[in-house]
Amino acid sequence: MAERGEPGPGQEHGRRAPGRGRRRDRRVYLVSHPVLFALLAGTRRTPVRRLGRTVLVHAPEPYADALRRVPLDRLAEGTTAGAAQRATGTGGFLFDEDGADHRQARRDAATVFSSDGVSRLRPVWLEVLRRRFAPLAGGAEVDVVDVVAELSGASTAALLAVAVPAHTLTAAARAAAMTAARSHLPGLRWPGGARRDRAATARAAAALAELLGVPAADAGRASMLAVASINTTMAAIPRAVAWCADDGLWPAADSAGSRAALVSELLRVTAPSPVLPRVAAGAAELAGTRVRAGDRLLLVARHAARAGAPRPDPADPVPAAVGQLVFGTGPHRCPGARLAQAQLDDVLAELAPYRPVVTGARVDRRSALPGWARLTLRATR
């Protein structure tokens, strides 16, 4: 049965329905991370807002400045590095390194995620997409979340050269991220919750490392790549597909030229990692607000990249300098951006001929990043 508000058989699906995709996507935040969403929404009108020792950064310019100019404590609790260390049980590869180590790690990552590296992985996810989306042609419904779980697990296993079933690897990486993130999300906790969270995180990290079965010297790097790649992919692609279906954007996915702009716009508005938690290591100033050493910075990628354009528009995309902020900037730009763009590009290319609509959706209340637990599609062609 179609979800309430979905078009039925025989209705026109090519027309754009402005705002519908945005309304559905808001549900992801409202249901999965309501306290965090309320905090971000309540402070977004000010480019930079201080709340005690926490500085929230919403506007594009101070957001970029924070990543380029503010000295950061890369080992502090409550940062991406801290979450990485909890999720992997060891060093966080890129996230907790500094200086020469960080530069070398970035060079290594640039090789892994180069155009040649992405091209080597592409046949892996294309096989998954073509096999899993084929039932749409016969009128069957397909859960895109489950498809992406296989896609991300298979791609990551190939990236790391490990023989692990796709869904098994995806489940382990998501469990590690979920338990690591839970301890620093805003909200009320029962007494003893922090201790239980630490124990659960340690168990999930150990399970992931054992599953990967790589040498101990490579465990941190492999675990971190698995956690980062799988969780951002699971957050980004289903949300982007839902927005594309709801706002009638499939015609833009039909050709490579317009699809490239559509991919950038969809990643911009979904902002798979909506907040980058950091801790300042020294004094600085952001949009007139003083930052002190030890201040916690919440860099809101979701708002910085959406500035003035809350909906995707492939015919009139925002400047790249703003749109690409979802991947960070400068020395803190995500090395996996090329992979994320290539995978979403192929997903949209495979789906576009079917002109699918969303027939059912359920928010994932347990994931580390806002996303869907189920998102079923049905072809209209």
Side-chain angles (χ1 to χ4, degrees):
M1 179 179 292
E3 187 181 63
R4 184 178 180 183
E6 296 297 342
Q11 288 182 260
E12 175 59 46
H13 300 284
R15 290 189 301 243
R16 185 179 174 90
R20 187 174 183 181
R22 187 184 181 194
R23 288 193 298 273
R24 189 194 298 276
D25 201 63
R26 281 172 60 88
R27 284 175 48 201
V28 172
Y29 288 91
L30 290 170
V31 175
S32 66
H33 296 75
V35 177
L36 178 61
F37 184 83
L39 175 65
L40 300 183
T43 60
R44 69 174 301 172
R45 298 300 178 189
T46 305
V48 179
R49 172 74 66 88
R50 173 180 287 280
L51 298 175
R53 292 303 302 272
T54 298
V55 179
L56 293 99
V57 182
H58 297 278
E61 293 81 5
Y63 174 95
D65 282 347
L67 290 173
R68 290 173 180 148
R69 297 191 301 102
V70 177
L72 301 175
D73 182 348
R74 304 184 66 83
L75 298 174
E77 182 72 16
T79 65
T80 300
Q85 288 183 329
R86 288 192 299 274
T88 63
T90 184
F93 179 61
L94 277 178
F95 296 111
D96 62 356
E97 296 168 330
D98 211 341
D101 288 340
H102 182 65
R103 289 191 292 273
Q104 182 59 51
R106 287 196 65 83
R107 286 193 289 269
D108 293 343
T111 300
V112 172
F113 295 112
S114 66
S115 57
D116 287 344
V118 171
S119 294
R120 284 193 294 271
L121 292 176
R122 190 167 180 252
V124 175
W125 73 67
L126 279 177
E127 186 281 327
V128 173
L129 292 177
R130 289 167 181 169
R131 170 170 47 84
R132 296 296 307 275
F133 287 152
L136 288 169
E141 292 186 348
V142 171
D143 180 4
V144 73
V145 174
D146 192 62
V147 174
V148 175
E150 183 175 354
L151 174 153
S152 60
S155 301
T156 303
L159 175 69
L160 299 175
V162 296
V164 180
H167 280 91
T168 302
L169 180 55
T170 294
R174 298 191 76 195
M178 176 190 68
T179 54
R182 186 165 52 201
S183 62
H184 68 258
L185 285 172
L188 298 175
R189 289 181 177 81
W190 294 102
R195 183 180 66 254
R196 289 191 293 273
D197 285 346
R198 285 193 296 271
T201 299
R203 290 193 298 271
L208 176 59
E210 182 179 0
L211 180 67
L212 291 171
V214 297
D218 299 328
R221 174 181 177 276
S223 295
M224 191 62 252
L225 282 173
V227 167
S229 177
I230 287 173
N231 282 277
T232 52
T233 302
M234 290 297 297
I237 293 180
R239 289 175 58 199
V241 168
W243 207 316
C244 201
D246 286 336
D247 277 13
L249 297 172
W250 294 121
D254 269 333
S255 68
S258 57
R259 190 167 59 248
L262 176 61
V263 165
S264 295
E265 282 287 277
L266 287 170
L267 289 172
R268 176 183 69 82
V269 297
T270 54
S273 297
V275 180
L276 305 182
R278 300 289 188 267
V279 172
E285 184 175 297
L286 293 172
T289 298
R290 293 184 59 190
V291 176
R292 296 167 290 176
D295 281 349
R296 187 182 186 194
L297 305 177
L298 294 184
L299 310 181
V300 189
R302 168 183 165 85
H303 293 163
R306 284 189 177 191
R311 298 173 187 160
D313 187 351
D316 186 22
V318 303
V322 174
Q324 293 297 305
L325 289 177
V326 292
F327 294 113
T329 189
H332 301 287
R333 178 172 168 78
C334 173
R338 182 184 285 109
L339 177 64
Q341 291 164 333
Q343 288 182 329
L344 180 55
D345 190 286
D346 280 338
V347 169
L348 299 182
E350 293 296 320
L351 285 174
Y354 298 110
R355 296 296 194 270
V357 292
V358 176
T359 57
R362 186 177 77 250
V363 173
D364 193 336
R365 299 171 182 265
R366 296 170 55 83
S367 61
L369 299 174
W372 296 106
R374 179 178 60 86
L375 187 80
T376 53
L377 305 176
R378 184 188 69 246
T380 63
R381 280 189 179 180

